[in-house]
Amino acid sequence: MSGKKNFLYKYFTKTPIKKSLQRLYLLIFLFPAIILSSIFGGVMYSTLKVWEIQRVRNSLVNAENSLNEMLSTIKVFSDRLYVNKPIQDIISTRYESALDAYYDFTNLSFLDDYLQSYREVISFRIYTENQTIIENSYIVKVTPVISNEFWYEKAVRTHGQIFWMYKTDSITKKQYLSLIRSVWSLKDNSYIGVMVINVNPEHIVRTLKNQFFESAIAYENQIIFSSEDNLSYADSQALRNELVYQKNRKSDDISTVFWKGSRAGIMTREFAPATNSISDFTLLYIVPMKELNRTTIQFLLPTGMIILLIILLSYIAIKLFSSYVNSRVRTVRDGIQSVVENNFSIPKTIGGTDEFEQIYHSLYLMSEKVSNLINQVYKQKLEREQISSRQNEIRYKMLATQINPHFLFNTLETIRMKSLAMGDKDSSTMLKLLASLLRYNLNVSGKNVPLIKELEAVQNYLNIQRFRFGSRISYDIITMCDVQKLTILPLLIQPLVENSFSHGLETTVSGGFIYIFISEEKPEYGPRLLHVSVKDNGCGIPEEKLADINKALKDELVDSYEGSIGLMNVNSRIKLFYGTSYGMKINSKEGEGTEVTLTFPLIEIEQMRNSRI
């Protein structure tokens, strides 16, 4: 016991309280809860799975009973026909003339009423070897072809025993599920003919559709009826393969098959129709796996959610409690640390009446006593140090003020006012434009700015250049979109305009122009685009030099390129900020001028605020 006690003592003294509480929760509650929940879930899943399979098996039995009930009704119908004396007399009579046969056949009008009273029957035939009778839809003469049919030979051989087959009707040439039995005379037990009653397929399909799940009937491993209208060949083959597999395995368990694009469970059951001793028919029950597992999921999902909720609530509770304890410990520790660092101005209380408050109250009383002692001994020294600290702070602020850029703007404003006072309006205007331009350039950051502000700065630059070049160069800013609502990365347009002046229009005598064209594009896919073009009619760029510039733009050779660094920087900033798929495009022809186009995503001011670009 002492060893365990020492181990626990060392463990808890070396581990923070918060972690210790959480680890105890994991060890004592969470792990056992997960294990027990998993065991409970597994047992319940197995139990519910067995229950679901039994429910499907019961449904399959109910479907079989429904079919047998319908087929039993047809068997009763066959018995009524079998013992009907007028029918036996007509079939047994050898007629000397057709007229005699005709008069007797008029007595069979009741057969139509028979047929209408049994909706399960679509038609019936009595095949006879009496060649003197008159044929109709009910009584048919036996031909050599019919006499060689398997079903006919079996009916004669079984001497009135009922059996069922899926065969082709000799008159309609359609396939039906048929009740077949030979008919023998009630007087002398002599052979009369073979009775075939064809079951109404729609009635069988309706019976299948009345089942809870999709079902089908197979005869000799072939699907003959299905509750699904227009059963595809692929689905029919899937059922056939599963049927063969089930028979080879000799199991009535549910197996899984791919059905209508999803997985489904299939259960098969061989059955013999009424009075048939041989099970040539198989009933298939098709249950989607989501339906098969619905009850299991409906039970386990809420149960699992409740367990998870309990675990979550318990975890939140232990988390809150451990955080509360940790917070109280941290508060007391911070108070002690403040006293250690000679900061005795700690709060009087941390609230509550627990042990942490008692410890903290003792700490507060101690800090007050120590603080009073220190104040009495070192009060004057502290005051001198505070005065010295304040003086140093004032000196620092004075130094910072000396390098404030407001000095530059104030100086420019002073020069402008003196020029205006001396009547030099041009110099005054140039100084005002320069101050505005410098103020804008100094205040910009790496974030987007309103496009209208950028254009105002560019216009200030162009107005300054107008004083230099006069009427030699004109300019125009054309906007094809609402620049009031758009944003742009700062200092993208001005370097292009400067480049046009310094490299394209420097030597222009007259007729020079600079156009700034701003438009938006709405592509079929992707974000809206903003195009900014700066075009001049200057000297242009030689073809070889233009190729070098485009190569440098493509490869982003900012440091190694010896040409226009301004263009390289603008292109690099666009790619870094907006993405490598955007950037600069230059079109130029020597002696005709140059057009530089920037392309990047269109970002509105409201959009920038929401996304904090």
Side-chain angles (χ1 to χ4, degrees):
M1 290 295 293
S2 59
K4 293 182 178 180
K5 184 176 181 180
N6 291 334
F7 170 78
L8 293 175
Y9 177 81
K10 291 180 180 179
Y11 174 80
F12 286 110
T13 54
K14 292 183 179 180
T15 306
I17 296 177
K18 184 177 181 179
K19 288 186 177 180
S20 297
L21 290 173
Q22 292 177 355
R23 289 175 183 176
L24 283 174
Y25 165 78
L26 293 176
L27 183 63
I28 297 175
F29 177 80
L30 185 58
F31 289 159
I34 292 175
I35 294 172
L36 292 176
S37 299
S38 300
I39 296 173
F40 171 79
V43 172
M44 290 305 301
Y45 177 83
S46 301
T47 303
L48 291 173
K49 191 76 173 180
V50 171
W51 182 84
E52 282 287 346
I53 292 174
Q54 185 60 42
R55 187 168 70 94
V56 173
R57 187 175 288 111
N58 293 338
S59 298
L60 188 61
V61 173
N62 292 335
E64 180 185 10
N65 293 336
S66 298
L67 289 171
N68 272 328
E69 182 178 354
M70 180 189 67
L71 298 179
S72 296
T73 302
I74 297 174
K75 189 263 181 185
V76 172
F77 176 70
S78 73
D79 291 339
R80 292 183 64 183
L81 290 177
Y82 191 99
V83 299
N84 188 277
K85 188 174 182 301
I87 295 177
Q88 286 211 356
D89 291 342
I90 290 174
I91 297 175
S92 303
T93 302
R94 300 289 176 175
Y95 294 96
E96 295 181 359
S97 66
L99 184 60
D100 294 337
Y102 175 78
Y103 283 129
D104 285 346
F105 267 65
T106 57
N107 296 325
L108 297 179
S109 59
F110 65 89
L111 293 178
D112 292 332
D113 296 332
Y114 260 33
L115 187 60
Q116 291 179 3
S117 63
Y118 288 87
R119 299 184 180 276
E120 298 87 351
V121 178
I122 192 170
S123 63
F124 68 89
R125 324 279 184 217
I126 299 178
Y127 296 89
T128 178
E129 296 180 358
N130 184 359
Q131 301 298 317
T132 65
I133 65 173
I134 299 175
E135 285 186 311
N136 58 18
S137 60
Y138 301 118
I139 300 176
V140 182
K141 295 178 182 179
V142 176
T143 64
V145 175
I146 294 176
S147 63
N148 290 327
E149 290 284 350
F150 169 77
W151 57 270
Y152 186 86
E153 293 178 349
K154 181 177 180 181
V156 175
R157 188 171 60 250
T158 55
H159 197 80
Q161 182 180 351
I162 294 175
F163 64 95
W164 297 80
M165 285 188 64
Y166 188 72
K167 58 177 285 295
T168 303
D169 184 70
S170 60
I171 296 179
T172 62
K173 304 304 179 183
K174 295 181 179 180
Q175 287 188 313
Y176 298 103
L177 175 61
S178 303
L179 180 149
I180 305 172
R181 67 188 299 184
S182 57
V183 182
W184 300 78
S185 174
L186 298 176
K187 294 180 180 180
D188 56 4
N189 201 30
S190 61
Y191 170 74
I192 295 177
V194 174
M195 180 192 305
V196 176
I197 301 177
N198 297 322
V199 183
N200 190 342
E202 294 182 359
H203 202 82
I204 296 178
V205 172
R206 191 181 304 114
T207 302
L208 295 177
K209 286 185 176 181
N210 288 335
Q211 304 307 312
F212 191 76
F213 298 111
E214 293 182 14
S215 52
I217 297 176
Y219 175 74
E220 295 183 348
N221 295 338
Q222 294 294 333
I223 305 301
I224 58 176
F225 298 105
S226 172
S227 60
E228 177 69 15
D229 295 330
N230 301 321
L231 188 65
S232 66
Y233 176 78
D235 292 337
S236 179
Q237 281 297 110
L239 292 179
R240 181 182 180 278
N241 295 337
E242 188 61 26
L243 181 62
V244 174
Y245 171 75
Q246 290 278 22
K247 285 188 175 182
N248 292 336
R249 195 175 61 163
K250 296 182 179 180
S251 172
D252 59 349
D253 291 335
I254 289 182
S255 59
T256 304
V257 68
F258 198 76
W259 173 259
K260 294 182 181 179
S262 60
R263 304 194 70 79
I266 292 185
M267 180 176 285
T268 61
R269 182 179 179 88
E270 295 184 0
F271 76 99
T275 71
N276 193 8
S277 59
I278 302 176
S279 299
D280 292 328
F281 297 86
T282 304
L283 182 63
L284 296 92
Y285 218 44
I286 306 155
V287 185
M289 294 305 293
K290 61 181 181 180
E291 294 290 336
L292 186 62
N293 297 325
R294 174 173 294 179
T295 303
T296 304
I297 294 174
Q298 287 177 347
F299 178 83
L300 290 181
L301 187 59
T303 304
M305 293 297 293
I306 292 172
I307 293 174
L308 286 177
L309 182 62
I310 293 173
I311 292 175
L312 179 61
L313 291 176
S314 64
Y315 177 77
I316 293 174
I318 194 67
K319 191 80 173 177
L320 292 175
F321 179 74
S322 61
S323 298
Y324 163 78
V325 173
N326 185 65
S327 175
R328 302 287 280 180
V329 171
R330 187 169 60 248
T331 303
V332 174
R333 184 195 61 195
D334 292 342
I336 296 173
Q337 186 67 29
S338 296
V339 174
V340 170
E341 295 174 355
N342 298 326
N343 180 15
F344 302 103
S345 298
I346 61 175
K348 186 176 181 180
T349 179
I350 60 174
T353 58
D354 57 6
E355 291 80 1
F356 295 106
E357 170 61 19
Q358 296 174 8
I359 296 173
Y360 188 87
H361 182 66
S362 300
L363 175 66
Y364 174 77
L365 295 177
M366 183 191 70
S367 67
E368 274 196 328
K369 292 181 180 180
V370 174
S371 177
N372 292 332
L373 180 62
I374 293 176
N375 286 336
Q376 293 175 3
V377 178
Y378 299 104
K379 185 175 181 180
Q380 294 180 351
K381 182 179 178 181
L382 290 175
E383 289 178 350
R384 287 195 299 270
E385 290 180 353
Q386 289 176 357
I387 293 172
S388 177
S389 175
R390 290 175 182 174
Q391 290 176 345
N392 291 333
E393 183 178 354
I394 292 172
R395 292 192 190 99
Y396 175 79
K397 289 183 177 180
M398 291 178 62
L399 289 173
T401 304
Q402 291 177 2
I403 61 172
N404 196 302
H406 286 294
F407 171 76
L408 175 62
F409 297 122
N410 292 335
T411 303
L412 289 175
E413 181 64 16
T414 301
I415 297 173
R416 186 181 77 84
M417 295 303 296
K418 286 190 175 184
S419 299
L420 187 63
M422 296 174 65
D424 190 353
K425 294 183 179 180
D426 290 346
S427 298
S428 175
T429 302
M430 289 180 66
L431 286 170
K432 182 178 180 181
L433 294 174
L434 177 61
S436 298
L437 184 62
L438 289 175
R439 190 183 302 275
Y440 174 78
N441 290 348
L442 288 173
N443 288 336
V444 295
S445 62
K447 299 181 179 180
N448 274 26
V449 298
L451 178 55
I452 187 66
K453 296 293 184 182
E454 180 76 2
L455 292 178
E456 289 175 358
V458 172
Q459 193 162 15
N460 288 337
Y461 174 80
L462 289 169
N463 288 332
I464 293 173
Q465 292 289 39
R466 175 179 287 176
F467 284 99
R468 177 185 174 192
F469 289 92
S471 60
R472 292 161 51 193
I473 297 175
S474 62
Y475 73 88
D476 195 5
I477 299 177
I478 304 170
T479 59
M480 302 298 292
C481 53
D482 190 357
V483 296
Q484 298 283 349
K485 297 180 179 180
L486 304 182
T487 65
I488 188 176
L489 199 63
L491 299 179
L492 292 184
I493 305 176
Q494 183 178 326
L496 307 184
V497 177
E498 292 179 4
N499 199 67
S500 294
F501 276 105
S502 59
H503 295 289
L505 300 171
E506 182 73 26
T507 60
T508 299
V509 177
S510 64
F513 68 81
I514 293 177
Y515 290 158
I516 301 174
F517 189 79
I518 299 175
S519 63
E520 70 171 291
E521 178 186 356
K522 297 180 180 179
E524 184 176 357
Y525 302 101
R528 292 187 295 168
L529 301 178
L530 186 66
H531 300 292
V532 178
S533 297
V534 178
K535 183 177 181 181
D536 64 67
N537 63 342
C539 61
I541 304 174
E543 186 175 349
E544 294 182 359
K545 185 176 180 182
L546 180 61
D548 293 340
I549 294 176
N550 285 328
K551 185 177 184 305
L553 290 173
K554 181 179 179 182
D555 299 337
E556 299 185 53
L557 303 175
V558 179
D559 298 331
S560 60
Y561 182 69
E562 298 179 355
S564 179
I565 302 299
L567 296 180
M568 298 298 112
N569 284 333
V570 169
N571 184 63
S572 296
R573 289 175 62 210
I574 292 175
K575 291 184 178 297
L576 286 173
F577 189 83
Y578 295 108
T580 56
S581 58
Y582 307 102
M584 178 185 298
K585 181 181 179 182
I586 302 178
N587 291 321
S588 182
K589 191 173 285 188
E590 189 172 6
E592 296 184 7
T594 302
E595 181 179 10
V596 181
T597 302
L598 306 180
T599 301
F600 40 83
L602 185 147
I603 301 175
E604 296 183 353
I605 294 177
E606 191 65 27
Q607 179 184 353
M608 183 184 69
R609 289 172 182 169
N610 294 335
S611 59
R612 298 183 179 180
I613 294 180

